Amino acid sequence: MFNYHNLNDVEFEELCKDIMERKISTSLRLFSKGRDGGIDLTDNTYTHNIIVQVKHYIRSSYSNLRTSLRKEIEKVRKLHPNQYYICCGMELTDSNIREIYKMFSDFMTTDKNIVTLNEIDEFLQNQENTDIVRKHHKLWLYSSKILNEIYNQNIFIDCETLLCDINEDSDFFVPTKIYEACVDHLEQNGLLMITGGPGVGKTITSKMLVLYFATQGYRVRYTTNGDIANIKDSLSLEKDQKEIVLLDDCLGQHYFKMKQTQENELLSLIKYIKLSKNKKLILNSRITIFNEAKERSTEFNIFFEQKKIKNHTINMDEITPLEKAKIFYNHLKFKNIPIDYYNSIRENKQYLKIIQHKNYTPRIIEHVTYEHNYLKVQAAMYFNYIFEALTNPNDIWKNEFEQRLQSIDRAFLSTLYSLTDTNVDYDILKKCFYKRLSRMKNIDFTLDNWSLVLSRLNQSIINIIDLKGKKRVGVINPSVNDYLKIVFMNNLLELGEVRNSISYFIQFERCYPKEELPHIYHQLIVSEKINEIEFVSMHQKNYFVTAQICQNSIKNINYKEIISDYFNYSYCNSYPTNWLTHFEIIDTLLNDELYLFYSIELLINKKGNIENLIGHLNLDELIFTISLLDDFYKINDMEFLWFRLLCKEMIDNTVMDYIENINTSDYCDNYDISELITANTRTYWTRGDVEEYIDKDSAVSALEKKISEEIENEIKEKLSLLDEGLINTLSLPESYSLNTTEIENAIDSYLREITYDNSSRSRSSESFVSEIEAIFER
């Protein structure tokens, strides 16, 4: 049996509505006859030819149900329907059914008009009605036990941050028509981009989509802007392995922070998923950031303009008033809003003003229904409080920040914003906050200010996430960051205090405009204060310091060891920055001025050092580095036999690695699949009928041959940058095999003849007022 205990009264009524519409082949709608009239389903709000009475009573007793039904008898007589049905959320005995039927026999054809919980479940277990189960997310969510598997790394990989609060999210979630369209699209096409404004429900919709497909046997991979390049490599090569990837906030909250290669990484992943039948991809982004990405990247724009991936925009104007009402009601219901507060919004049906407000978004509704927020106003003023938040949404955090927080709380939030747009390691934030605190005046240091701030701000402005015993801290939702960004960059005095207390390198990029950073970095190196700053790793520090030395021709003997460590251990590491490239650094270090000062000769004339330098590079990096060194050796009459032998060994191994790690999906788009299919299709005449046979294996082999030739030419072109003498010592592998899985996927993708649904949803002009009243007037 499905788990019905998590359905609230409105959700159970919606479920019964869908069931009864199918059972009696008649459209039904909710209506309200006033606060004492109960909630019913009817085919017509004027004639009431058919009435369905829904009784939730899932955790109640039969005696309570019987008492309630007796009160309905007189109401039913007044409405005098031709058919009266009762949907009951409990199991009933034959005796119970006979007793209820006796009460309403004048309006029932048989006792089959009484639908018990067992009959509801039997109906939903029928394969023909799985669409109804899918629509009511709590049925499949709780019955599938998928929530118990959230920390199962065989199902949810790297998803702890995403799903840490999913139990609460699922209570508030309403499966809108937009959500249903997203499910349909993913089932058919596998690729989906969800865009919309801040706070309209992109992330919760994405979460619920992921959970739905997890119940269908898909493994889930998740990342939030930063790990896109690694996602593709982590996907299973098995064709039958179902996997779904969610890139939440895939373009970042602030576009100018996004690294230069992100659109290309996205497109590479999208193209790969597009060719894989059992892989699906969900991306979401703020609409403004998405539009900026299309404007900056021509290829990105073309890809979306050609509808190769469907973009669903979550526009609050497209979410029906009834769906908005359900979202609002769920928050009121599951957050246990006190009855006197509830009555404030129900008085004179003021909830309609909230639902119909032009600025309505789920994020604002979430904010005004948190206990720590609504208790700041008297119950009688609750509606005014909500309406004011909707009218001036930008003031929500302004009032909180300026009027309700202590100065130490504001300093904490500034420190948090200086470190991240998402969340940051608990201990890193603590260290940075303590440094900021040490510079503040009138602070009582006998108190545990860290714990006090966390307890005040947790679940009101910040969230503390526990990931398998490791804590991380972030703001409660992105709208806090939106506000902090404005405060952070406009309040120069506060910004100055944050700058003066920087502990971690990432804070520089978030605290200074790009044009000021070169000067700041230069001063850090010259003053040696860089040694007081912590980095993600020693490799990052080695790279940064060496890049600054080369860019500014800085001579400081104290950095000699860092340059040596960079040369031996950090050259292969990359970071999304505007620093000098590794090739520019090596080229600069080989110039006379820095070459002599930092004794670079001692680094480049030893085989072990060069082996360390080039030992972990990709093919392009290896070729470029070898060319730089080779040219330098020739100019300076330095000849090492071991260098040529080492280069040949490294290049041979790297070429083989390059071939073995080729993503053939990146090449498939370069060829017209339709031509390959046509060339490998045989036509037969059988008794006057034409039959076509597609030799798929031959098509795959033909495409593999074309891609192999392209890869060989590509490698030869790369190697042409090397000295001719060195090239002559090299030889391409005589035999190798490409991974043909992606090539087969490209052929299969074409054969599936994927069509993209470009139809737009028509906006209904139907009034939902009566249904909304039916929800709130109870």
Side-chain angles (χ1 to χ4, degrees):
M1 177 175 281
F2 287 109
N3 187 339
Y4 299 92
H5 288 76
N6 294 93
L7 300 178
N8 66 32
D9 46 0
V10 171
E11 291 165 340
F12 187 68
E13 287 160 4
E14 282 287 325
L15 175 63
C16 291
K17 174 179 178 291
D18 290 338
I19 291 172
M20 292 308 297
E21 282 184 331
R22 186 158 296 179
K23 272 180 170 288
I24 63 179
S25 302
T26 302
S27 295
L28 299 171
R29 60 183 296 187
L30 289 167
F31 80 101
S32 172
K33 303 186 298 296
R35 294 185 187 180
D36 62 343
I39 306 296
D40 296 297
L41 303 171
T42 184
D43 62 334
N44 189 298
T45 55
Y46 297 102
T47 64
H48 306 307
N49 178 54
I50 297 173
I51 288 179
V52 180
Q53 185 71 43
V54 179
K55 293 297 183 182
H56 192 220
Y57 285 72
I58 290 175
R59 294 183 178 88
S60 190
S61 64
Y62 174 69
S63 60
N64 289 337
L65 173 64
R66 179 175 55 200
T67 300
S68 175
L69 287 173
R70 283 173 177 168
K71 295 178 181 178
E72 302 292 337
I73 295 174
E74 188 59 33
K75 300 172 189 175
V76 175
R77 284 176 180 163
K78 288 180 180 179
L79 293 170
H80 200 74
N82 289 329
Q83 284 295 321
Y84 184 68
Y85 295 86
I86 295 172
C87 282
C88 178
M90 66 169 58
E91 301 174 20
L92 299 175
T93 65
D94 290 341
S95 175
N96 298 154
I97 293 172
R98 285 195 299 270
E99 184 176 7
I100 295 172
Y101 177 66
K102 188 175 180 179
M103 294 182 201
F104 301 99
S105 59
D106 291 344
F107 310 101
M108 291 182 174
T109 305
T110 69
D111 61 6
K112 295 296 183 183
N113 284 39
I114 301 166
V115 184
T116 69
L117 188 61
N118 278 338
E119 290 171 314
I120 288 173
D121 192 71
E122 184 180 348
F123 180 85
L124 293 174
Q125 297 289 350
N126 192 319
Q127 190 68 25
E128 296 176 357
N129 301 313
T130 53
D131 58 323
I132 294 178
V133 175
R134 191 187 79 174
K135 178 180 177 183
H136 296 271
H137 70 285
K138 289 184 181 178
L139 290 181
W140 55 258
L141 182 62
Y142 291 99
S143 299
S144 68
K145 308 297 184 184
I146 199 67
L147 292 179
N148 297 330
E149 299 290 337
I150 282 178
Y151 293 107
N152 183 343
Q153 285 295 302
N154 291 323
I155 300 173
F156 296 98
I157 305 170
D158 301 328
C159 293
E160 293 93 340
T161 303
L162 174 75
L163 301 174
C164 64
D165 54 358
I166 193 62
N167 279 292
E168 181 177 316
D169 286 342
S170 63
D171 283 338
F172 305 137
F173 178 68
V174 170
T176 62
K177 290 180 180 178
I178 288 175
Y179 165 80
E180 286 294 316
C182 290
V183 173
D184 289 339
H185 182 81
L186 279 169
E187 286 184 335
Q188 295 173 22
N189 302 313
L191 290 169
L192 177 69
M193 166 68 91
I194 300 174
T195 55
V200 297
K202 299 183 297 297
T203 296
I204 181 59
T205 299
S206 300
K207 285 183 181 182
M208 298 309 297
L209 288 170
V210 158
L211 285 179
Y212 172 73
F213 281 98
T215 65
Q216 306 303 304
Y218 283 79
R219 291 199 319 171
V220 180
R221 293 302 309 259
Y222 163 75
T223 188
T224 182
N225 58 307
D227 301 322
I228 297 172
N230 297 326
I231 285 287
K232 180 177 171 183
D233 294 334
S234 68
L235 294 175
S236 172
L237 294 176
E238 295 180 22
K239 289 180 64 176
D240 296 332
Q241 176 65 63
K242 294 181 177 181
E243 293 177 295
I244 185 167
V245 177
L246 169 58
L247 303 184
D248 187 37
D249 200 14
C250 63
L251 299 175
Q253 288 183 37
H254 307 309
Y255 188 74
F256 63 87
K257 292 290 186 184
M258 190 177 117
K259 59 184 181 180
Q260 299 293 316
T261 60
Q262 196 128 333
E263 297 105 332
N264 291 334
E265 291 173 0
L266 271 176
L267 290 177
S268 178
L269 178 61
I270 288 169
K271 290 173 183 177
Y272 175 76
I273 296 290
K274 178 175 176 282
L275 300 178
S276 305
K277 181 181 179 181
N278 289 312
K279 314 295 182 191
K280 298 186 185 297
L281 173 64
I282 305 169
L283 310 99
N284 68 49
S285 171
R286 297 187 181 194
I287 187 65
T288 53
I289 307 301
F290 175 69
N291 289 336
E292 287 178 28
K294 289 198 297 180
E295 185 175 325
R296 188 175 82 170
S297 170
T298 302
E299 186 180 1
F300 196 76
N301 182 48
I302 291 173
F303 198 85
F304 282 90
E305 289 301 315
Q306 291 179 352
K307 307 295 183 184
K308 291 186 177 180
I309 179 170
K310 179 66 178 290
N311 176 32
H312 271 296
T313 301
I314 297 184
N315 185 336
M316 290 312 297
D317 292 335
E318 294 181 356
I319 297 179
T320 67
L322 184 57
E323 291 170 341
K324 293 180 182 180
K326 291 175 184 176
I327 293 170
F328 187 26
Y329 181 78
N330 278 358
H331 278 276
L332 295 171
K333 181 79 173 178
F334 288 104
K335 289 181 181 173
N336 298 312
I337 301 294
I339 189 62
D340 49 346
Y341 283 81
Y342 187 90
N343 288 338
S344 170
I345 63 171
R346 195 165 66 172
E347 184 178 355
N348 298 322
K349 301 181 181 179
Q350 294 188 115
Y351 49 80
L352 293 173
K353 295 180 181 178
I354 295 172
I355 293 159
Q356 295 168 352
H357 200 290
K358 65 178 182 178
N359 293 334
Y360 178 105
T361 64
R363 180 167 293 160
I364 296 176
I365 296 302
E366 176 187 46
H367 177 82
V368 298
T369 50
Y370 276 125
E371 183 179 24
H372 54 260
N373 288 328
Y374 68 71
L375 287 182
K376 294 168 186 173
V377 299
Q378 295 179 350
M381 299 301 294
Y382 188 41
F383 165 75
N384 293 340
Y385 166 70
I386 297 174
F387 197 80
E388 175 63 24
L390 289 166
T391 304
N392 299 295
N394 294 331
D395 289 344
I396 288 178
W397 297 115
K398 183 176 186 294
N399 295 336
E400 186 80 15
F401 193 80
E402 293 180 357
Q403 299 175 23
R404 298 191 176 98
L405 297 185
Q406 300 180 25
S407 59
I408 193 172
D409 299 334
R410 291 191 286 269
F412 173 90
L413 289 173
S414 295
T415 304
L416 176 59
Y417 183 81
S418 74
L419 286 162
T420 182
D421 277 332
T422 52
N423 55 69
V424 67
D425 183 271
Y426 182 93
D427 293 328
I428 290 176
L429 176 59
K430 185 176 183 179
K431 183 172 183 177
C432 292
F433 176 62
Y434 275 150
K435 184 169 183 180
R436 173 69 201 281
L437 209 60
S438 68
R439 299 179 54 84
M440 295 180 67
K441 298 177 181 178
N442 302 319
I443 298 296
D444 186 351
F445 292 106
T446 64
L447 298 174
D448 183 0
N449 290 293
W450 168 256
S451 297
L452 289 173
V453 169
L454 288 184
S455 64
R456 282 197 298 270
L457 301 186
N458 191 29
Q459 294 301 310
S460 62
I461 294 183
I462 66 168
N463 263 337
I464 302 174
I465 305 167
D466 193 327
L467 302 180
K468 299 180 180 179
K470 189 171 184 179
K471 292 182 180 179
R472 297 186 69 83
V473 183
V475 294
I476 198 165
N477 65 56
S479 67
V480 180
N481 274 337
D482 292 340
Y483 175 73
L484 289 177
K485 178 190 174 187
I486 297 171
V487 171
F488 196 74
M489 301 312 295
N490 291 340
N491 187 341
L492 297 182
L493 292 177
E494 170 65 7
L495 180 58
E497 289 300 315
V498 176
R499 288 172 173 175
N500 289 331
S501 60
I502 286 177
S503 299
Y504 274 76
F505 181 77
I506 185 61
Q507 291 177 283
F508 287 105
E509 294 187 355
R510 296 181 61 81
C511 290
Y512 289 93
K514 286 184 178 180
E515 58 272 15
E516 291 185 25
L517 284 174
H519 175 70
I520 299 298
Y521 291 160
H522 182 233
Q523 292 301 311
L524 283 172
I525 301 297
V526 170
S527 65
E528 297 188 39
K529 288 185 177 180
I530 192 64
N531 293 316
E532 301 171 11
I533 303 300
E534 295 198 35
F535 286 76
V536 172
S537 67
M538 255 346 251
H539 295 309
Q540 187 188 31
K541 180 179 180 180
N542 291 340
Y543 185 1
F544 172 76
V545 172
T546 307
Q548 291 301 313
I549 286 172
C550 291
Q551 191 164 358
N552 298 287
S553 297
I554 297 171
K555 298 176 185 175
N556 185 329
I557 199 65
N558 293 329
Y559 291 129
K560 188 172 182 178
E561 185 176 348
I562 285 181
I563 290 179
S564 176
D565 287 344
Y566 164 79
F567 200 90
N568 278 284
Y569 310 114
S570 305
Y571 182 73
C572 60
N573 289 270
S574 60
Y575 298 92
T577 67
N578 294 318
W579 307 343
L580 292 180
T581 67
H582 288 302
F583 315 123
E584 290 170 327
I585 291 173
I586 291 294
D587 195 32
T588 304
L589 287 176
L590 294 177
N591 287 332
D592 291 345
E593 194 174 3
L594 296 180
Y595 180 81
L596 294 173
F597 185 84
Y598 289 108
S599 304
I600 302 300
E601 182 179 4
L602 298 178
L603 297 174
I604 66 169
N605 64 6
K606 294 180 181 178
K607 179 182 178 182
N609 290 341
I610 299 301
E611 196 167 6
N612 288 338
L613 180 71
I614 65 178
H616 302 284
L617 303 180
N618 64 38
L619 185 58
D620 289 315
E621 294 168 341
L622 179 64
I623 290 170
F624 207 96
T625 304
I626 287 175
S627 294
L628 280 174
L629 292 171
D630 194 39
D631 289 343
F632 180 81
Y633 289 151
K634 286 177 181 177
I635 292 172
N636 292 277
D637 294 324
M638 300 168 68
E639 186 172 347
F640 305 108
L641 178 61
W642 55 261
F643 177 69
R644 285 296 175 102
L645 295 174
L646 177 63
C647 289
K648 175 178 171 19
E649 177 186 354
M650 289 290 185
I651 293 172
D652 285 343
N653 291 337
T654 306
V655 166
M656 183 58 75
D657 289 341
Y658 179 83
I659 293 172
E660 289 178 353
N661 291 290
I662 284 286
N663 288 313
T664 50
S665 62
D666 293 336
Y667 295 83
C668 292
D669 273 357
N670 298 340
Y671 302 96
D672 188 338
I673 305 295
S674 63
E675 287 187 1
L676 282 170
I677 296 296
T678 301
N680 290 279
T681 299
R682 304 290 178 264
T683 303
Y684 300 94
W685 290 86
T686 306
R687 296 180 181 178
D689 294 329
V690 178
E691 292 184 3
E692 290 186 339
Y693 168 72
I694 298 173
D695 189 343
K696 178 182 164 183
D697 291 341
S698 295
V700 170
S701 297
L703 183 54
E704 181 184 7
K705 182 178 180 182
K706 289 178 179 292
I707 292 175
S708 295
E709 290 173 353
E710 183 177 353
I711 290 171
E712 288 181 15
N713 290 332
E714 190 178 89
I715 292 173
K716 289 176 181 177
E717 185 176 348
K718 292 177 184 295
L719 295 176
S720 66
L721 297 174
L722 294 169
D723 174 75
E724 188 174 348
L726 182 56
I727 293 175
N728 292 333
T729 68
L730 303 174
S731 57
L732 289 175
E734 293 184 3
S735 63
Y736 59 86
S737 58
L738 295 177
N739 186 333
T740 60
T741 299
E742 292 164 8
I743 297 175
E744 292 175 16
N745 287 340
I747 302 295
D748 288 339
S749 177
Y750 176 83
L751 294 176
R752 286 197 301 268
E753 295 181 347
I754 295 177
T755 57
Y756 288 86
D757 175 22
N758 295 318
S759 61
S760 60
R761 293 178 298 277
S762 59
R763 193 174 301 168
S764 172
S765 60
E766 178 187 3
S767 171
F768 294 97
V769 171
S770 64
E771 289 96 330
I772 293 171
E773 290 176 354
I775 291 174
F776 288 92
E777 300 296 332
R778 55 182 59 232

